[in-house]
Amino acid sequence: MTDFLGAVNDLVWHETLVYLCLAAGVYFSIRSRFVQVRQIPEMVRLMLRGEKSPAGVSSFQALTMSLAGRVGTGNIAGVATAIAFGGPGALFWMWAVAFLGASTSFVECTLGQIYKDRDKLTGEYRGGPAYYFSTALSHTAAAGAMKIYGYVFAAVTLLAMGLLLPGVQSNSMASAMSSAWGFSKWWVAVGTVIVLAFVIIGGVKRIATFASIVVPFMAVVYIALALVVVLFNASEIPAILSLIFSSAFGIDSAFGAIIGLAVMWGVKRGIYSNEAGQGTGPHAAAAAEVSHPAKQGLVQAFAVYVDTLFVCSATGFLILSTGAYRVFEGGTADGAVIREGGTILPADAEVGPAFAQTGFDTLWSGAGSSFIAISLAFFCFTTIVAYYYMAETNLRFMLGRFATVNVRFLPGSVGTTMTMLLQALILVSVTLGAVSTASEAWTLGDIGVGLMAWLNIIGILILQQPAYKALWDYENQKKQGLDPQFDPVALGIKNATFWENYDPATGKDRERARA
């Protein structure tokens, strides 16, 4: 089974996907006139503002929901893995995919807002790739094919978020706690499941509230303490930057043979971390209450920067400045060691959180393991919560109106029953992931990320135009000194049913108001 999953992972993460992600980012950047640079001040302003309603969360809550899914084990163990198998230059390619991916995130998240819908069961806003794939071209001859495409994406996302990806997070969390405090992985699994059940059963609003409190606090604390360690090694920074760039382009002879791996692991772990193009961001973006879709597109683009340029960079500089790393040949820990960062890393240290733990120990001896364990506990838990929300959103899409139908032999409606089954599935996935090996967990997670990225990037390359129309409209209204309001009919955007029925004066659907 391990060999089979490895073969599937290699097929999904063929170098074609790596270069597709980079090429799509370049294309979206050019088409949007580098929106990820021009609109940074507006991103920050919008991030701190925004209205919420009984049906939707604020822009900031949507941002933190998105960050909850992005900021996880990929920001610690993922960065260590990228450096170990791709060399220090992998960090540069993580930056590159984040910069380019911010434009990709803008496109997908704006589409998520344009084609969002109201949950028939709860009344909350729902949206994501499955929604815009099945809706955007429903007035054309491609309607049938795109509707099927939407259902395929929903099924893949349900599989990835409900089964394949949660185990990566719980595995890293359990491993770090076991290493730091000697906890049994089974006890970590049980404790996580109990707390997780309480949060996810509360619905979107509880998820948003939980994420808005936990994510910003832990991200700031982690970055601050990592920077303290880096500043104590400030004299190493020039050499680190030189090493990153020389490794990224094969200038350093030691890394010349693995330049392809630097690109591969940088992009692979970059997307795993910031999720730009994977199709996860649009789910949280659609839940926001905004007057114009471009607003949330800009906020979500900034989330990519927060994840990679801030959190991942903090981990990368921590590891490199303290010399707590090894680089292996052939993209596997079984390969020969190409470069040893220093002598401080234990000989038996596994690739992953141990790199960051050792780096922290150089300043706070003995405290590194505990701090990383606590950080991963919060980061991984909020990521699992976000995974559940996205799985639930795609389940609701697949059920459609059938979600509200009551069946005699079911305890409530079909939607209620299937939601309970999904909650049970993700709790089981978390439990099994916590006690499995790291290799198995990461392989399953990579397969899930890769499948979603393939489907989403190809899809938004087809559907991108409404996102640009929304961007130009937003910028034109801002130039006139207005608080932009979205009118899809005036822009020639079809099938944006929610917005066609939305009354900006009341913040309610006209149909619901009449009813």
PDB file of all heavy atoms in Angstrom, residues 183-204:
ATOM      1  N   PHE A 183       3.782  12.295  25.808  1.00  0.00           N
ATOM      2  CA  PHE A 183       2.378  11.909  25.750  1.00  0.00           C
ATOM      3  C   PHE A 183       2.183  10.745  24.774  1.00  0.00           C
ATOM      4  O   PHE A 183       2.810  10.686  23.717  1.00  0.00           O
ATOM      5  CB  PHE A 183       1.503  13.068  25.294  1.00  0.00           C
ATOM      6  CG  PHE A 183       1.338  14.165  26.312  1.00  0.00           C
ATOM      7  CD1 PHE A 183       0.650  15.327  25.989  1.00  0.00           C
ATOM      8  CD2 PHE A 183       1.857  14.041  27.588  1.00  0.00           C
ATOM      9  CE1 PHE A 183       0.491  16.353  26.923  1.00  0.00           C
ATOM     10  CE2 PHE A 183       1.700  15.046  28.531  1.00  0.00           C
ATOM     11  CZ  PHE A 183       1.019  16.200  28.198  1.00  0.00           C
ATOM     12  N   SER A 184       1.289   9.863  25.111  1.00  0.00           N
ATOM     13  CA  SER A 184       0.897   8.821  24.171  1.00  0.00           C
ATOM     14  C   SER A 184       0.161   9.470  22.999  1.00  0.00           C
ATOM     15  O   SER A 184      -0.684  10.348  23.197  1.00  0.00           O
ATOM     16  CB  SER A 184      -0.025   7.815  24.860  1.00  0.00           C
ATOM     17  OG  SER A 184      -0.707   7.021  23.913  1.00  0.00           O
ATOM     18  N   LYS A 185       0.454   9.015  21.798  1.00  0.00           N
ATOM     19  CA  LYS A 185      -0.226   9.563  20.623  1.00  0.00           C
ATOM     20  C   LYS A 185      -1.734   9.279  20.684  1.00  0.00           C
ATOM     21  O   LYS A 185      -2.533  10.072  20.177  1.00  0.00           O
ATOM     22  CB  LYS A 185       0.373   8.996  19.342  1.00  0.00           C
ATOM     23  CG  LYS A 185       1.783   9.511  19.054  1.00  0.00           C
ATOM     24  CD  LYS A 185       2.285   9.018  17.712  1.00  0.00           C
ATOM     25  CE  LYS A 185       3.658   9.598  17.394  1.00  0.00           C
ATOM     26  NZ  LYS A 185       4.157   9.159  16.079  1.00  0.00           N
ATOM     27  N   TRP A 186      -2.104   8.172  21.302  1.00  0.00           N
ATOM     28  CA  TRP A 186      -3.527   7.860  21.427  1.00  0.00           C
ATOM     29  C   TRP A 186      -4.225   8.871  22.335  1.00  0.00           C
ATOM     30  O   TRP A 186      -5.353   9.281  22.062  1.00  0.00           O
ATOM     31  CB  TRP A 186      -3.714   6.444  21.966  1.00  0.00           C
ATOM     32  CG  TRP A 186      -3.614   5.401  20.899  1.00  0.00           C
ATOM     33  CD1 TRP A 186      -2.571   4.547  20.669  1.00  0.00           C
ATOM     34  CD2 TRP A 186      -4.590   5.101  19.899  1.00  0.00           C
ATOM     35  NE1 TRP A 186      -2.826   3.743  19.594  1.00  0.00           N
ATOM     36  CE2 TRP A 186      -4.067   4.058  19.099  1.00  0.00           C
ATOM     37  CE3 TRP A 186      -5.859   5.616  19.604  1.00  0.00           C
ATOM     38  CZ2 TRP A 186      -4.765   3.523  18.028  1.00  0.00           C
ATOM     39  CZ3 TRP A 186      -6.567   5.080  18.525  1.00  0.00           C
ATOM     40  CH2 TRP A 186      -6.017   4.049  17.751  1.00  0.00           C
ATOM     41  N   TRP A 187      -3.552   9.289  23.406  1.00  0.00           N
ATOM     42  CA  TRP A 187      -4.148  10.283  24.297  1.00  0.00           C
ATOM     43  C   TRP A 187      -4.290  11.623  23.595  1.00  0.00           C
ATOM     44  O   TRP A 187      -5.285  12.338  23.776  1.00  0.00           O
ATOM     45  CB  TRP A 187      -3.312  10.430  25.566  1.00  0.00           C
ATOM     46  CG  TRP A 187      -3.549   9.347  26.565  1.00  0.00           C
ATOM     47  CD1 TRP A 187      -2.680   8.361  26.943  1.00  0.00           C
ATOM     48  CD2 TRP A 187      -4.756   9.112  27.301  1.00  0.00           C
ATOM     49  NE1 TRP A 187      -3.265   7.522  27.875  1.00  0.00           N
ATOM     50  CE2 TRP A 187      -4.536   7.964  28.121  1.00  0.00           C
ATOM     51  CE3 TRP A 187      -5.992   9.749  27.364  1.00  0.00           C
ATOM     52  CZ2 TRP A 187      -5.517   7.465  28.965  1.00  0.00           C
ATOM     53  CZ3 TRP A 187      -6.965   9.239  28.214  1.00  0.00           C
ATOM     54  CH2 TRP A 187      -6.726   8.115  29.007  1.00  0.00           C
ATOM     55  N   VAL A 188      -3.282  11.986  22.781  1.00  0.00           N
ATOM     56  CA  VAL A 188      -3.373  13.227  22.006  1.00  0.00           C
ATOM     57  C   VAL A 188      -4.547  13.152  21.040  1.00  0.00           C
ATOM     58  O   VAL A 188      -5.312  14.104  20.877  1.00  0.00           O
ATOM     59  CB  VAL A 188      -2.062  13.481  21.229  1.00  0.00           C
ATOM     60  CG1 VAL A 188      -2.207  14.714  20.332  1.00  0.00           C
ATOM     61  CG2 VAL A 188      -0.897  13.674  22.193  1.00  0.00           C
ATOM     62  N   ALA A 189      -4.700  11.999  20.401  1.00  0.00           N
ATOM     63  CA  ALA A 189      -5.791  11.811  19.447  1.00  0.00           C
ATOM     64  C   ALA A 189      -7.149  11.962  20.125  1.00  0.00           C
ATOM     65  O   ALA A 189      -8.042  12.667  19.627  1.00  0.00           O
ATOM     66  CB  ALA A 189      -5.682  10.434  18.792  1.00  0.00           C
ATOM     67  N   VAL A 190      -7.309  11.338  21.280  1.00  0.00           N
ATOM     68  CA  VAL A 190      -8.590  11.398  22.004  1.00  0.00           C
ATOM     69  C   VAL A 190      -8.897  12.827  22.446  1.00  0.00           C
ATOM     70  O   VAL A 190     -10.026  13.319  22.289  1.00  0.00           O
ATOM     71  CB  VAL A 190      -8.563  10.454  23.225  1.00  0.00           C
ATOM     72  CG1 VAL A 190      -9.795  10.687  24.103  1.00  0.00           C
ATOM     73  CG2 VAL A 190      -8.503   8.999  22.772  1.00  0.00           C
ATOM     74  N   GLY A 191      -7.901  13.514  23.000  1.00  0.00           N
ATOM     75  CA  GLY A 191      -8.107  14.898  23.443  1.00  0.00           C
ATOM     76  C   GLY A 191      -8.480  15.813  22.294  1.00  0.00           C
ATOM     77  O   GLY A 191      -9.373  16.666  22.419  1.00  0.00           O
ATOM     78  N   THR A 192      -7.795  15.635  21.164  1.00  0.00           N
ATOM     79  CA  THR A 192      -8.083  16.458  19.984  1.00  0.00           C
ATOM     80  C   THR A 192      -9.501  16.231  19.488  1.00  0.00           C
ATOM     81  O   THR A 192     -10.220  17.170  19.138  1.00  0.00           O
ATOM     82  CB  THR A 192      -7.080  16.139  18.858  1.00  0.00           C
ATOM     83  OG1 THR A 192      -5.753  16.345  19.325  1.00  0.00           O
ATOM     84  CG2 THR A 192      -7.333  17.028  17.641  1.00  0.00           C
ATOM     85  N   VAL A 193      -9.912  14.996  19.440  1.00  0.00           N
ATOM     86  CA  VAL A 193     -11.243  14.641  18.946  1.00  0.00           C
ATOM     87  C   VAL A 193     -12.331  15.256  19.821  1.00  0.00           C
ATOM     88  O   VAL A 193     -13.336  15.773  19.307  1.00  0.00           O
ATOM     89  CB  VAL A 193     -11.394  13.103  18.885  1.00  0.00           C
ATOM     90  CG1 VAL A 193     -12.856  12.712  18.781  1.00  0.00           C
ATOM     91  CG2 VAL A 193     -10.610  12.550  17.708  1.00  0.00           C
ATOM     92  N   ILE A 194     -12.152  15.252  21.124  1.00  0.00           N
ATOM     93  CA  ILE A 194     -13.160  15.808  22.032  1.00  0.00           C
ATOM     94  C   ILE A 194     -13.337  17.310  21.791  1.00  0.00           C
ATOM     95  O   ILE A 194     -14.464  17.804  21.650  1.00  0.00           O
ATOM     96  CB  ILE A 194     -12.769  15.542  23.500  1.00  0.00           C
ATOM     97  CG1 ILE A 194     -12.864  14.044  23.802  1.00  0.00           C
ATOM     98  CG2 ILE A 194     -13.676  16.337  24.445  1.00  0.00           C
ATOM     99  CD1 ILE A 194     -12.330  13.659  25.166  1.00  0.00           C
ATOM    100  N   VAL A 195     -12.221  18.043  21.726  1.00  0.00           N
ATOM    101  CA  VAL A 195     -12.297  19.493  21.515  1.00  0.00           C
ATOM    102  C   VAL A 195     -12.805  19.807  20.107  1.00  0.00           C
ATOM    103  O   VAL A 195     -13.623  20.716  19.911  1.00  0.00           O
ATOM    104  CB  VAL A 195     -10.925  20.153  21.748  1.00  0.00           C
ATOM    105  CG1 VAL A 195     -11.012  21.662  21.535  1.00  0.00           C
ATOM    106  CG2 VAL A 195     -10.421  19.855  23.153  1.00  0.00           C
ATOM    107  N   LEU A 196     -12.337  19.043  19.133  1.00  0.00           N
ATOM    108  CA  LEU A 196     -12.753  19.263  17.747  1.00  0.00           C
ATOM    109  C   LEU A 196     -14.253  19.071  17.581  1.00  0.00           C
ATOM    110  O   LEU A 196     -14.921  19.858  16.895  1.00  0.00           O
ATOM    111  CB  LEU A 196     -12.000  18.305  16.824  1.00  0.00           C
ATOM    112  CG  LEU A 196     -12.312  18.385  15.328  1.00  0.00           C
ATOM    113  CD1 LEU A 196     -11.916  19.746  14.776  1.00  0.00           C
ATOM    114  CD2 LEU A 196     -11.580  17.280  14.569  1.00  0.00           C
ATOM    115  N   ALA A 197     -14.803  18.053  18.211  1.00  0.00           N
ATOM    116  CA  ALA A 197     -16.238  17.791  18.108  1.00  0.00           C
ATOM    117  C   ALA A 197     -17.041  18.979  18.625  1.00  0.00           C
ATOM    118  O   ALA A 197     -18.045  19.378  18.016  1.00  0.00           O
ATOM    119  CB  ALA A 197     -16.599  16.530  18.895  1.00  0.00           C
ATOM    120  N   PHE A 198     -16.613  19.571  19.714  1.00  0.00           N
ATOM    121  CA  PHE A 198     -17.317  20.726  20.282  1.00  0.00           C
ATOM    122  C   PHE A 198     -17.338  21.897  19.305  1.00  0.00           C
ATOM    123  O   PHE A 198     -18.368  22.570  19.135  1.00  0.00           O
ATOM    124  CB  PHE A 198     -16.646  21.158  21.588  1.00  0.00           C
ATOM    125  CG  PHE A 198     -17.160  22.467  22.129  1.00  0.00           C
ATOM    126  CD1 PHE A 198     -18.386  22.540  22.772  1.00  0.00           C
ATOM    127  CD2 PHE A 198     -16.427  23.637  21.975  1.00  0.00           C
ATOM    128  CE1 PHE A 198     -18.867  23.749  23.264  1.00  0.00           C
ATOM    129  CE2 PHE A 198     -16.895  24.845  22.458  1.00  0.00           C
ATOM    130  CZ  PHE A 198     -18.121  24.903  23.114  1.00  0.00           C
ATOM    131  N   VAL A 199     -16.218  22.145  18.627  1.00  0.00           N
ATOM    132  CA  VAL A 199     -16.116  23.296  17.729  1.00  0.00           C
ATOM    133  C   VAL A 199     -16.913  23.085  16.451  1.00  0.00           C
ATOM    134  O   VAL A 199     -17.719  23.927  16.050  1.00  0.00           O
ATOM    135  CB  VAL A 199     -14.643  23.608  17.392  1.00  0.00           C
ATOM    136  CG1 VAL A 199     -14.548  24.729  16.355  1.00  0.00           C
ATOM    137  CG2 VAL A 199     -13.884  24.005  18.654  1.00  0.00           C
ATOM    138  N   ILE A 200     -16.723  21.946  15.791  1.00  0.00           N
ATOM    139  CA  ILE A 200     -17.344  21.770  14.476  1.00  0.00           C
ATOM    140  C   ILE A 200     -18.848  21.594  14.558  1.00  0.00           C
ATOM    141  O   ILE A 200     -19.575  21.966  13.625  1.00  0.00           O
ATOM    142  CB  ILE A 200     -16.720  20.592  13.701  1.00  0.00           C
ATOM    143  CG1 ILE A 200     -16.961  19.253  14.418  1.00  0.00           C
ATOM    144  CG2 ILE A 200     -15.245  20.823  13.482  1.00  0.00           C
ATOM    145  CD1 ILE A 200     -16.412  18.052  13.650  1.00  0.00           C
ATOM    146  N   ILE A 201     -19.348  21.055  15.647  1.00  0.00           N
ATOM    147  CA  ILE A 201     -20.799  20.894  15.770  1.00  0.00           C
ATOM    148  C   ILE A 201     -21.484  22.249  15.904  1.00  0.00           C
ATOM    149  O   ILE A 201     -22.661  22.415  15.594  1.00  0.00           O
ATOM    150  CB  ILE A 201     -21.134  19.965  16.955  1.00  0.00           C
ATOM    151  CG1 ILE A 201     -20.679  18.538  16.629  1.00  0.00           C
ATOM    152  CG2 ILE A 201     -22.620  19.981  17.281  1.00  0.00           C
ATOM    153  CD1 ILE A 201     -20.793  17.565  17.777  1.00  0.00           C
ATOM    154  N   GLY A 202     -20.729  23.281  16.304  1.00  0.00           N
ATOM    155  CA  GLY A 202     -21.297  24.617  16.464  1.00  0.00           C
ATOM    156  C   GLY A 202     -21.564  25.343  15.168  1.00  0.00           C
ATOM    157  O   GLY A 202     -22.212  26.390  15.170  1.00  0.00           O
ATOM    158  N   GLY A 203     -21.056  24.847  14.022  1.00  0.00           N
ATOM    159  CA  GLY A 203     -21.337  25.466  12.731  1.00  0.00           C
ATOM    160  C   GLY A 203     -20.357  26.544  12.335  1.00  0.00           C
ATOM    161  O   GLY A 203     -19.348  26.804  13.008  1.00  0.00           O
ATOM    162  N   VAL A 204     -20.647  27.202  11.203  1.00  0.00           N
ATOM    163  CA  VAL A 204     -19.747  28.182  10.605  1.00  0.00           C
ATOM    164  C   VAL A 204     -19.439  29.339  11.543  1.00  0.00           C
ATOM    165  O   VAL A 204     -18.303  29.791  11.663  1.00  0.00           O
ATOM    166  CB  VAL A 204     -20.336  28.726   9.282  1.00  0.00           C
ATOM    167  CG1 VAL A 204     -19.447  29.817   8.707  1.00  0.00           C
ATOM    168  CG2 VAL A 204     -20.499  27.604   8.271  1.00  0.00           C
TER     169      VAL A 204
END
